[in-house]
Amino acid sequence: EAGVTQFPSHSVIEKGQTVTLRCDPISGHDNLYWYRRVMGKEIKFLLHFVKESKQDESGMPNNRFLAERTGGTYSTLKVQPAELEDSGVYFCASSQPAYMNTEAFFGQGTRLTVV
Amino acid sequence: GENVEQHPSTLSVQEGDSAVIKCTYSDSASNYFPWYKQELGKGPQLIIDIRSNVGEKKDQRIAVTLNKTAKHFSLHITETQPEDSAVYFCAASSGSGYSTLTFGKGTMLLVSP
């Protein structure tokens, strides 16, 4: 079974440009999360989808970040326009429905560098 | 909201020694405490977790203890091996894998042969 897959693995963009990160969760996982780790600090929650609906987006830093999960399958996270402080590793995770009480599986991450 | 503190930030041990990483949390409603191991170039991988209805859980060389009264939990790795070298993260949530996780800052463990 394929795990959580993220694209691209690395991205280097200039300040002011736009970048779109993609996450393909494990098939059948209703829950999809985005997290971010900035400069060796803790991994911080950004938002949570249940199927195609945003369950919690309290961790989104500002309105330059837009996440979508059309159709409840893969998700994209767009940063527009990118700023230097957006650099970090963006992780996606997925888990099965709540009643199954199982762990969250993480992708390998996308390392974003804004220069 | 929840706040998780993790110590130490780096830990160096000799192969065969034990390693202990400690975390504290602030939200008494938290009831699920996973530990993740992140190797270079990979995403965090769950290695063990514990729920608030138990005080200790073991899986071969890895064990986790939980003290709900004191709001702290610890990861214990015995007979460390070089392949245990990685960054370890503790986390807390008020649910299981379906709930959002609050992470500690991570511990870089280096096991020297």
Side-chain angles (χ1 to χ4, degrees), chain A residues 30-48:
Chain A
D30 289 348
N31 295 286
L32 187 149
Y33 311 82
W34 284 97
Y35 289 86
R36 177 175 73 171
R37 189 181 190 208
V38 175
M39 291 184 63
K41 296 185 178 180
E42 66 269 29
I43 300 171
K44 282 197 170 182
F45 166 76
L46 296 178
L47 88 160
H48 171 201

Side-chain angles (χ1 to χ4, degrees), chain B residues 9-10 21 33 36 44 46-47 60 62 78 80 82 96-97 108:
Chain B
S9 57
T10 59
I21 302 171
F33 307 93
Y36 286 85
L46 180 74
I47 56 172
Q60 299 182 346
I62 295 173
T78 59
T80 55
S96 180
M108 180 174 291

Side-chain angles (χ1 to χ4, degrees), chain A residues 3-77:
Chain A
V4 178
T5 308
Q6 293 186 242
F7 302 97
S9 56
H10 295 84
S11 180
V12 181
I13 62 171
E14 293 184 349
K15 176 182 174 181
Q17 289 186 323
T18 298
V19 63
T20 299
L21 314 180
R22 172 171 170 146
C23 170
D24 286 73
I26 294 172
S27 178
H29 282 196
D30 289 348
N31 295 286
L32 187 149
Y33 311 82
W34 284 97
Y35 289 86
R36 177 175 73 171
R37 189 181 190 208
V38 175
M39 291 184 63
K41 296 185 178 180
E42 66 269 29
I43 300 171
K44 282 197 170 182
F45 166 76
L46 296 178
L47 88 160
H48 171 201
F49 284 100
V50 177
K51 297 185 180 179
E52 67 275 10
S53 300
K54 291 178 183 176
Q55 181 75 12
D56 181 356
E57 52 185 330
S58 61
M60 294 288 264
N62 50 61
N63 59 10
R64 295 185 294 102
F65 289 75
L66 175 64
E68 295 180 323
R69 193 184 182 193
T70 306
T73 54
Y74 72 91
S75 174
T76 58
L77 179 65

